[in-house]
């Protein structure tokens, strides 16, 4: 099979296409013939060497869509030949063949393509879990910080579908109309800290984080909720929590969210809701662009430019 390896830690040029033996499925696992793989910031962080437990030769890719070609147990034989989406764990998606746990398989409806499945994919789980964590209600004002990325475009849509007033913040306001089309009420720059004439926010979903977090926490209304579901700009400064104590009487809450520990529903249950939203027109996948497997380095370069709107997908 073909796979993209990290040959050294650093820039995108360290992603190389290589040939590897085809994998086999052990009990409890399935081998997928990959049709599409998602490209995300977690892949970038691994390539840069942010996870010391990952060595060179690692194949990135948190999510794939394709067809099950082999299973490790006869009890799971019914999956063979079915089109599925699956999270891979920490990696392995940038390849012709990917091994995933059978329990992570989600069958794709006939009207959902592999590209669209990946564009929804893990990002839709993060978006849905973030809004659950924020306990967002109809009529509330929510700031989606980093609304143009793969997670942000889905968070914007799902928040609007809940009846919230969505203020979307992005680095480049030239995408404003596209966000309005997805349900945003207002569009602001990424560093905008003025909550506008309608007042402060009931909730903030922050996919960017970075050193500006302390400036955004005070934009919450009393009993407001701040959820950090991504760190595209890095971790907040160590003193960011002082904003909570300086405004103790406001009873704000701030939390982080990772799918490894946070979801209140299984992936299959959440995807059932995601596909229902897709059919009812409340949600649509947004793909910024597709790249063949041998252009994974170019895909990473584009993602790091922060000039994307929606998901980047590798085609296999």
């Amino acid at each position: 099979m073909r796979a993209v390896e990290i040959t050294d830690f650093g820039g995108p040029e360290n992603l190389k296409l290589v040939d590897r033996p085809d994998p086999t499925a052990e009990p409890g696992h399935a081998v997928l013939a990959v049709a599409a793989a998602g490209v995300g910031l977690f892949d970038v962080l691994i390539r840069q060497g942010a996870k010391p437990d990952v060595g060179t030769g690692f194949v990135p890719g948190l999510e794939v869509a394709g067809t099950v070609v082999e299973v490790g147990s006869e009890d799971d034989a019914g999956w063979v030949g079915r089109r599925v989406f699956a999270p891979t764990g920490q990696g392995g998606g940038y390849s012709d063949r990917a091994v995933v746990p059978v329990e992570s398989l989600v069958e794709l409806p006939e009207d959902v393509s592999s590209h669209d499945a990946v564009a929804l994919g893990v990002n839709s789980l993060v978006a849905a879990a973030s809004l659950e964590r924020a306990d967002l209600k109809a009529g509330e004002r929510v700031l989606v910080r980093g609304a143009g990325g793969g997670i942000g475009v889905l968070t914007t849509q799902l928040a609007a579908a809940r009846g919230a007033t969505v203020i979307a913040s992005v680095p480049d306001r030239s995408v404003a109309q596209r966000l309005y089309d997805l349900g945003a009420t207002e569009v602001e720059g990424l560093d905008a800290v003025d909550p506008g004439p309608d007042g402060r926010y009931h909730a903030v979903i922050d996919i960017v984080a970075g050193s500006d977090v302390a400036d955004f926490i005070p934009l919450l209304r009393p009993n407001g909720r701040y959820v950090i579901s991504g760190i595209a700009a890095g971790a907040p400064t160590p003193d960011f929590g002082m904003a909570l104590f300086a405004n103790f009487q406001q009873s704000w809450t701030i939390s982080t969210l990772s799918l490894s520990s946070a979801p209140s529903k299984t992936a299959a249950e959440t995807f059932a809701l995601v596909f229902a939203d897709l059919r009812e027109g409340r949600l649509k996948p947004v793909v910024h662009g597709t790249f063949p497997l041998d252009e994974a380095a170019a895909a990473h370069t584009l993602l790091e430019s922060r000039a994307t709107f929606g998901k980047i997908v590798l085609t296999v």
Side-chain angles (χ1 to χ4, degrees), residues 76-91:
D76 299 318
W79 280 106
V80 175
R82 291 159 71 177
R83 292 178 59 249
V84 297
F85 167 85
T88 62
Q90 286 197 359

Side-chain angles (χ1 to χ4, degrees), residues 275-287:
F275 293 146
D277 285 334
L278 182 65
R279 290 194 186 90
E280 296 297 323
R282 293 185 294 268
L283 183 67
K284 66 178 182 180
V286 181
V287 177

Side-chain angles (χ1 to χ4, degrees), residues 281-304:
R282 293 185 294 268
L283 183 67
K284 66 178 182 180
V286 181
V287 177
H288 179 92
T290 61
F291 290 81
L293 195 61
D294 60 359
E295 294 183 15
H300 274 224
T301 298
L302 177 59
L303 183 61
E304 288 183 90

Side-chain angles (χ1 to χ4, degrees), residues 237-264:
T237 56
D239 61 349
F240 79 96
M242 294 305 297
L244 291 174
F245 294 100
N247 298 273
F248 195 85
Q249 71 281 6
Q250 298 294 319
S251 300
W252 295 331
T253 59
I254 185 167
S255 62
T256 58
L257 184 137
S258 168
L259 285 183
S260 63
S261 58
S264 59

Side-chain angles (χ1 to χ4, degrees), residues 51-283:
K51 287 187 66 64
D53 57 328
V54 173
T56 56
F58 183 80
V59 176
L62 284 177
E63 54 192 332
V64 293
T67 302
V68 178
V69 294
E70 181 186 334
V71 292
S73 170
E74 287 198 10
D75 293 339
D76 299 318
W79 280 106
V80 175
R82 291 159 71 177
R83 292 178 59 249
V84 297
F85 167 85
T88 62
Q90 286 197 359
Y94 292 12
S95 60
D96 288 330
R97 297 285 189 270
V99 179
V100 299
V102 169
E103 65 182 12
S104 71
L105 298 174
V106 177
E107 186 167 16
L108 293 181
E110 290 184 4
D111 56 349
V112 178
S113 70
S114 295
H115 289 72
D116 286 350
V118 168
L120 293 169
V122 170
N123 287 345
S124 69
L125 303 185
V126 175
S130 297
L131 296 178
E132 286 186 12
R133 175 66 62 88
D135 192 26
L136 187 68
K137 301 176 179 64
E140 291 190 325
R141 283 171 54 83
V142 57
L143 174 67
V144 179
R145 190 163 178 255
I151 298 172
V153 294
L154 300 174
T155 304
T156 296
Q157 294 180 70
L158 290 176
R162 286 187 175 215
T165 297
V166 182
I167 295 82
S169 76
V170 285
D172 182 0
R173 296 191 76 257
S174 68
V175 301
Q177 186 56 54
R178 299 177 72 180
L179 286 164
Y180 292 138
D181 293 343
L182 294 177
T185 303
E186 304 171 29
V187 178
E188 302 288 348
L190 200 58
D191 57 353
V193 293
D194 181 359
D198 294 324
R200 295 180 291 167
Y201 308 113
H202 296 91
V204 175
I205 308 298
D206 191 344
I207 308 153
V208 179
S211 60
D212 294 331
V213 168
D215 296 328
F216 282 87
I217 293 175
L219 302 185
L220 291 169
R221 297 187 183 197
N223 299 297
R225 294 87 65 194
Y226 198 111
V227 178
I228 299 175
S229 56
I231 52 171
T237 56
D239 61 349
F240 79 96
M242 294 305 297
L244 291 174
F245 294 100
N247 298 273
F248 195 85
Q249 71 281 6
Q250 298 294 319
S251 300
W252 295 331
T253 59
I254 185 167
S255 62
T256 58
L257 184 137
S258 168
L259 285 183
S260 63
S261 58
S264 59
K265 299 181 177 69
T266 67
E269 289 174 323
T270 300
F271 269 113
L273 298 175
V274 167
F275 293 146
D277 285 334
L278 182 65
R279 290 194 186 90
E280 296 297 323
R282 293 185 294 268
L283 183 67

